[in-house]
Amino acid sequence: MTDALYLAETRQRTFEAHVERALDDRVVLDRTCFYPTGGGQPSDTGVFRDPVTETTWRVTGVEKRDTIHHMVDGNPPTAGTSLVGELDWERRYAHMRYHTAQHLLSAVLLEAFDAETTGNQLYADHAHLDCAYPRISATDLADIEARLNDLVAADLPVEWYVLDRGEAERRLDPERTRLHLLPDSITEIRIVEVVGPDGTAYDRTACAGTHVASTGAIGSVEVVGRETKGTGEERIEFVLS
């Protein structure tokens, strides 16, 4: 299995790796910083470079299959090739900011409206979140935006660590983590936590995505609209500056 370096260090932009498999237009490496599409977060893009021949390949997408697969332009590098990988950092960092903002929005909705997040989708320049709630008013949206920007201004630390699944199920709020939706085969859970001003967790949830180190890095949040997605479900759209 590919060692997913992004789970431990989300700020690493370059890495060295070896090609384990070459499959048509994609390759499998022994280790990678490239995030695969999942959890509402798009994959990373970037380049691979062979430091010996100076050949480069554009990484156009990343998927989680049996392991992590990197889609590349042109003929892929052969098995055994040593590569340097470099992320498209502007894209990755935007995803990190939006993903962290989504965690704050999920926490605010649960805190203020008892509204559970049912889905989300992030992009490099906007995002939306779906929640279980009958109808969010314009006043509600303004209050949500103000609360989000208060949390950004507080510059709260964002931390991540791994827990044994049994311990996670005993310790964590099931409404936020929804651990019961994870396959039984997942025995270790990566927890992302926003630490409140008093040192306790403002938000604590299971997540394999990438995040900024503190809420101040998110930038100001603008809630730009809402949409009814079905009976008892609302979609909130937001952008970051």
Side-chain angles (χ1 to χ4, degrees):
M1 293 293 289
T2 304
D3 184 10
L5 302 175
Y6 58 82
L7 290 175
E9 176 50 77
T10 65
R11 291 164 293 187
Q12 187 173 343
R13 308 182 188 194
T14 63
F15 64 98
E16 297 178 354
H18 299 285
V19 177
E20 292 193 335
R21 282 184 280 161
L23 306 162
D24 298 326
D25 63 344
R26 51 198 164 92
V27 295
V28 173
L29 307 179
D30 62 339
R31 60 207 302 263
T32 187
C33 286
F34 281 82
Y35 181 83
T37 299
Q41 180 174 332
S43 76
D44 289 325
T45 57
V47 295
F48 290 149
R49 179 173 56 84
D50 182 334
V52 176
T53 65
E54 293 297 326
T55 305
T56 61
W57 296 263
R58 181 71 189 166
V59 180
T60 59
V62 189
E63 296 179 358
K64 187 74 174 289
R65 301 186 184 182
D66 57 320
T67 186
I68 299 172
H69 290 235
H70 305 75
M71 315 312 154
V72 296
D73 279 343
N75 295 324
T78 58
T81 302
S82 295
L83 297 175
V84 174
E86 182 176 347
L87 303 184
D88 179 343
W89 182 248
E90 184 175 350
R91 173 185 168 93
R92 157 64 85 80
Y93 194 64
H95 293 162
M96 289 164 60
R97 293 171 62 227
Y98 273 99
H99 205 150
T100 309
Q102 177 263 304
H103 278 231
L104 292 186
L105 178 55
S106 291
V108 168
L109 290 169
L110 200 60
E111 176 186 61
F113 303 96
D114 196 29
E116 182 180 352
T117 296
T118 57
N120 71 93
Q121 183 60 55
L122 316 172
Y123 301 94
D125 59 357
H126 68 285
H128 65 250
L129 178 148
D130 297 338
C131 65
Y133 197 73
R135 175 78 180 194
I136 294 176
S137 69
T139 300
D140 293 335
L141 290 179
D143 291 343
I144 290 167
E145 180 179 288
R147 178 58 176 150
L148 288 172
N149 283 301
D150 285 345
L151 293 168
V152 169
D155 199 22
L156 304 175
V158 182
E159 302 173 351
W160 43 90
Y161 51 89
V162 175
L163 285 180
D164 173 79
R165 182 171 186 146
E167 183 179 0
E169 290 174 340
R170 289 191 299 272
R171 286 177 49 184
L172 304 186
D173 180 352
E175 289 186 340
R176 289 187 177 177
T177 59
R178 295 183 291 170
L179 292 177
H180 63 283
L181 298 179
L182 297 177
D184 293 339
S185 59
I186 299 179
T187 58
E188 291 189 334
I189 309 297
R190 183 174 180 264
I191 306 301
V192 176
E193 184 172 286
V194 180
V195 182
D198 61 356
T200 62
Y202 176 73
D203 183 59
R204 181 189 290 133
T205 188
C207 181
T210 61
H211 301 83
V212 292
S214 68
T215 60
I218 292 171
S220 63
V221 185
E222 181 182 1
V223 177
V224 294
R226 55 146 298 280
E227 179 184 358
T228 298
K229 296 304 295 179
T231 303
E233 185 166 85
E234 290 280 275
R235 172 168 292 178
I236 297 174
E237 301 172 359
F238 64 96
V239 297
L240 306 178
S241 63

